[in-house]
Amino acid sequence: MEFPKTREEIDSAVIRFAGDSGDGMQLTGTQFTTTSAVLGNDISTLPDFPAEIRAPAGSLPGVSAFQLHFSSRDIRTPGDEPNVLVAMNPAALKTNLRDLPPGGLLIVNKDAFNERNLERAGYAVNPLQDESLKEYRVIAVPISSLNQKALEDLSLSNKEKDRCKNLFALGMMYWMYDRPLEHTIHWIERQFAKKPDIVEANIKALKAGFHFAETAEIISTHYRIRPAKLKPGKYRNLMGNTATALGFVTAARLADTPLLYCSYPITPASDILHELAKLKNFQVRTVQAEDEIAAIGAAIGAAFGGCIAMTGTSGPGLALKSEALNLAVMAELPLIVLDIQRGGPSTGLPTKTEQADLLQAMFGRNGESPVPIVAPATPADCFAMAMEAVKIAVKYMTPVLYLSDGYLANGSEPWRIPHLEDLPKIEIRHPQTVPGEKFLPYLRDPHSLARPWAIPGTPGLEHRIGGLEKEDRSGNVSYDPANHEKMVKLRAAKVAAIAQDIPDAEILGPAEGELLVVGWGSTYGAIASAVERARAEGASVSAVHLRYLNPFPRNLEALLQRFDKILVPELNLGQLAWLLRAKFLVEARSLSKVQGKPFKITEILEGIRAQLSYSAPQMPRAKQEVQHAGNY
């Protein structure tokens, strides 16, 4: 008797692949993402890496996961919770099951639920054999043994064959969501071109999983998600760190200036070094330094020499760079420092996300040393804000801090490749020798208050450089009290003047009302979606998202004054809220989360409801299920 299969059309889905760090979950999720992007879906991803380099197999700390939200409409987040959880072993089930809602689909590799793995995951009883999973739709598949059976005619070891089981699981999900195999097959052929036996094994495993899902009676439905209606143009699926690297290289090319990036490897910033190292044909040079201090020291030298000079790190490294960053402040050099934030303090949660470096970026140096701060809002926005960092640094002759985080760095979304004519102009003018005229290295531009960027070795433009206080105009070392106060105020005024070149903050929703939700960085997607849901519930709420944190946009104070209440969701204990209260004397209330994970839409929505003192509207059960299917 033939088992009937049905096809259902849906708007979106959220899938999470989870397994041991050696199970290839990041590769599996990336391939599903790439295929979905090629099909024209809007996508948003959330990779989740273990902190240990190689945790014991089957252990809870060694679980690796990849969540993907793909849709036929515009989406902003990887989804609050998965519709489908693929768990390759007991540890993956235990660490991820709490996020799967009742009624969600749970696909498990039942071969991995042996006594040894159950013990490592802390299960006294096999959860596939008791009632603990009764709230979910469970499909237990012997993925490991089916994969071995599909590859039995190949002359590979059992260990080599077992490494292909993630492709078997991927094939199952491709059938379930009506995805073609060709894109992944072509990737396998390219990736393992020198190992034909590995190519054959992976393709066989992929096809075996697809045909198993197609023919097995345990999977009755597959789903279709149409292409999203995106703005016309050429798109590329892009991770935040890749977008960051491309943005800086593009800015350097527009400025017709070499780029030098000096960095010490640190999670989650290391990928920027890797990406830039691939681009040496575009006048890009990369230096892997011996430590964080050496990295920023070399970058300062490059800035003095006339390069687009950058150094990248995460929170612990930024602390080490602070003394040298102050040297760049005093010397007024266009150095760009990237801080890809992670959970802290100290080593903290090196593979998890956080926004806890804002106050360090604002004040983490000795003396009065203001530095401009920019922060991208989405993975694709990393490209635009990288260019802004360069534009500000070279125009105002100042170090600039670029604050991203682990969520943006490793997440991905479609990026519309811009046309060259749409990119901002970045002009660099170095002074030239004027016969008979004395060069004044701290003579300031009347508009930007920037000093001239003189290239070392230019005849007649010799000048002092260093951390000692400079005399106004001449740049000579000065210990004069009045001059010191003047120079401190000039450096501060220069940073404040940047506000004249940055765009006004834009409001999502009405320009006045009961509640304004203010965010920065990677909270953008969850805030915007939560505010839209709250407005659909009748709430008087709007949102503003800040991509420029020092200085703030010129219209920010006026916007804040138009609302009765202000709520600031942050992945820290309230740092932006603290700054808003201090600067604008407003009662900014903090909504904090420091769990190493991004905000869910529902968490911010609950915060909005609490501020406005109303409860979630009651809906019929059927309507609740429909809404759940649409993780914005």
Side-chain angles (χ1 to χ4, degrees):
M1 179 178 177
E2 186 176 347
F3 188 72
K5 300 281 187 176
T6 61
R7 174 186 287 183
E8 181 180 338
E9 188 162 307
I10 57 177
D11 288 338
S12 66
V14 179
I15 302 173
R16 185 181 298 177
F17 298 95
D20 189 72
S21 58
D23 284 340
M25 294 297 94
Q26 303 303 319
L27 184 151
T28 305
T30 299
Q31 285 303 307
F32 199 106
T33 300
T34 301
T35 296
S36 299
V38 170
L39 293 180
N41 297 134
D42 196 8
I43 55 175
S44 181
T45 67
L46 177 60
D48 188 11
F49 308 96
E52 285 76 6
I53 294 174
R54 192 65 177 97
S59 66
L60 298 179
V63 172
S64 177
F66 190 106
Q67 183 163 305
L68 162 69
H69 185 190
F70 58 111
S71 177
S72 61
R73 50 185 170 74
D74 180 43
I75 56 175
R76 302 189 185 97
T77 76
D80 277 8
E81 51 197 12
N83 307 123
V84 181
L85 171 61
V86 180
M88 299 297 286
N89 65 8
L93 176 65
K94 190 163 194 176
T95 55
N96 289 274
L97 185 62
R98 60 179 175 268
D99 294 330
L100 187 68
L105 180 61
L106 174 60
I107 299 175
V108 297
N109 175 19
K110 70 178 182 181
D111 286 334
F113 283 69
N114 54 45
E115 184 175 345
R116 182 184 181 189
N117 285 340
L118 290 168
E119 182 180 353
R120 285 182 171 180
Y123 281 112
V125 179
N126 190 337
L128 303 181
Q129 298 174 356
D130 60 15
E131 296 294 310
S132 61
L133 303 178
K134 63 182 179 181
E135 292 184 325
Y136 311 100
R137 294 178 291 149
V138 180
I139 298 178
V141 180
I143 292 177
S144 296
S145 54
L146 288 172
N147 177 68
Q148 289 280 346
K149 180 71 175 175
L151 307 182
E152 62 182 353
D153 59 336
L154 300 182
S155 57
L156 296 173
S157 67
N158 286 337
K159 184 176 181 179
E160 289 173 318
K161 293 175 183 177
D162 195 54
R163 288 175 181 162
C164 301
K165 65 179 181 291
N166 62 319
L167 274 298
F168 188 99
L170 179 61
M172 291 174 57
M173 301 309 295
Y174 274 171
W175 180 85
M176 185 176 292
Y177 286 99
D178 203 18
R179 315 274 101 174
L181 305 180
E182 288 73 22
H183 305 293
T184 297
I185 289 174
H186 292 157
W187 177 85
I188 293 169
E189 291 171 341
R190 294 192 307 271
Q191 184 73 11
F192 304 105
K194 297 181 180 179
K195 299 179 179 180
D197 51 346
I198 301 299
V199 169
E200 184 180 6
N202 279 286
I203 292 175
K204 274 195 169 186
L206 180 71
K207 290 181 176 180
F210 186 92
H211 294 308
F212 171 79
E214 185 179 33
T215 57
E217 296 188 358
I218 56 175
I219 302 177
S220 61
T221 305
H222 68 150
Y223 303 93
R224 182 184 181 190
I225 297 177
R226 294 183 180 274
K229 295 179 180 179
L230 302 174
K231 187 177 180 180
K234 181 180 284 189
Y235 284 82
R236 173 181 171 182
N237 179 44
L238 204 61
M239 293 175 61
N241 273 351
T242 305
T244 297
L246 291 178
F248 282 117
V249 174
T250 302
R253 290 295 79 234
L254 289 173
D256 193 24
T257 303
L259 184 151
L260 183 70
Y261 183 74
C262 306
S263 180
Y264 179 76
I266 184 171
T267 303
S270 298
D271 282 340
I272 297 172
L273 176 62
H274 304 157
E275 292 294 330
L276 289 172
K278 302 173 185 176
L279 302 173
K280 59 184 179 181
N281 292 335
F282 296 93
Q283 287 190 280
V284 174
R285 294 294 179 266
T286 53
V287 177
Q288 180 174 317
E290 62 186 23
D291 56 39
E292 297 285 4
I293 300 171
I296 191 170
I300 289 172
F304 180 52
C307 286
I308 303 296
M310 300 160 41
T311 183
T313 188
S314 191
L318 183 60
L320 290 169
K321 293 179 189 292
S322 63
E323 181 182 6
L325 180 53
N326 247 9
L327 171 59
V329 170
M330 179 63 79
E332 298 188 46
L333 291 171
L335 171 72
I336 299 160
V337 180
L338 290 67
D339 177 8
I340 317 302
Q341 300 165 97
R342 68 189 203 185
S346 187
T347 308
L349 303 175
T351 62
K352 310 303 179 183
T353 197
E354 205 164 88
Q355 291 181 294
D357 295 349
L358 177 56
L359 293 184
Q360 181 182 201
M362 188 75 74
F363 305 118
R365 295 165 298 283
N366 69 290
E368 294 287 345
S369 53
V371 170
I373 303 171
V374 300
T378 69
D381 190 43
C382 290
F383 177 86
M385 296 313 291
M387 297 190 67
E388 278 294 291
V390 174
K391 185 178 175 183
I392 291 169
V394 299
K395 179 174 181 178
Y396 289 88
M397 285 295 289
T398 178
V400 174
L401 269 162
Y402 172 93
L403 281 185
S404 180
D405 60 44
Y407 173 35
L408 294 180
N410 297 314
S412 65
E413 65 177 349
W415 171 61
R416 183 172 176 266
I417 300 174
H419 295 291
L420 187 61
E421 58 270 19
D422 295 332
L423 295 174
K425 305 297 182 186
I426 300 178
E427 297 182 0
I428 294 176
R429 294 188 178 92
H430 298 294
Q432 300 300 316
T433 304
V434 179
E437 186 175 300
K438 183 180 180 181
F439 176 59
L440 297 173
Y442 282 80
L443 180 67
R444 300 185 181 276
D445 179 276
H447 174 76
S448 65
L449 298 181
R451 76 173 188 89
W453 191 6
I455 300 299
T458 306
L461 303 188
E462 296 85 358
H463 60 284
R464 287 180 177 272
I465 199 77
L468 290 172
E469 184 61 276
K470 304 296 180 289
E471 184 180 61
D472 186 28
R473 295 166 58 90
S474 74
N476 295 329
V477 172
S478 173
Y479 299 104
D480 179 67
N483 177 78
H484 174 60
E485 183 168 12
K486 180 179 182 179
M487 295 297 282
V488 166
K489 290 181 176 179
L490 276 172
R491 289 188 289 265
K494 180 173 65 170
V495 172
I498 296 169
Q500 65 195 338
D501 275 349
I502 66 176
D504 284 347
E506 296 182 1
I507 284 277
L508 173 64
E512 58 184 25
E514 292 184 50
L515 178 65
L516 180 66
V517 183
V518 183
W520 69 279
S522 62
T523 58
Y524 167 74
I527 288 175
S529 297
V531 167
E532 288 182 351
R533 286 196 195 180
R535 289 186 53 74
E537 295 173 354
S540 174
V541 58
S542 300
V544 63
H545 205 79
L546 302 177
R547 297 154 77 223
Y548 301 86
L549 296 163
N550 192 34
F552 288 125
R554 289 170 296 176
N555 68 329
L556 181 58
E557 183 173 14
L559 291 179
L560 297 174
Q561 299 295 341
R562 295 176 192 158
F563 290 84
D564 300 331
K565 296 180 178 180
I566 298 165
L567 180 66
V568 188
E570 296 181 80
L571 300 177
N572 57 49
L573 295 181
Q575 296 186 19
L576 177 60
W578 188 91
L579 290 172
L580 295 178
R581 288 195 294 266
K583 186 169 183 63
F584 301 118
L585 303 180
V586 295
E587 189 180 352
R589 303 180 183 184
S590 182
L591 177 62
S592 294
K593 181 176 182 178
V594 280
Q595 300 175 13
K597 296 182 177 182
F599 272 110
K600 295 180 179 180
I601 299 169
T602 50
E603 291 170 335
I604 296 177
L605 184 57
E606 284 301 316
I608 292 170
R609 289 168 178 161
Q611 290 298 315
L612 297 179
S613 302
Y614 78 96
S615 301
Q618 297 298 312
M619 294 179 291
R621 176 66 181 172
K623 189 172 182 181
Q624 289 180 19
E625 291 174 351
V626 170
Q627 178 165 309
H628 164 69
N631 285 277
Y632 289 97

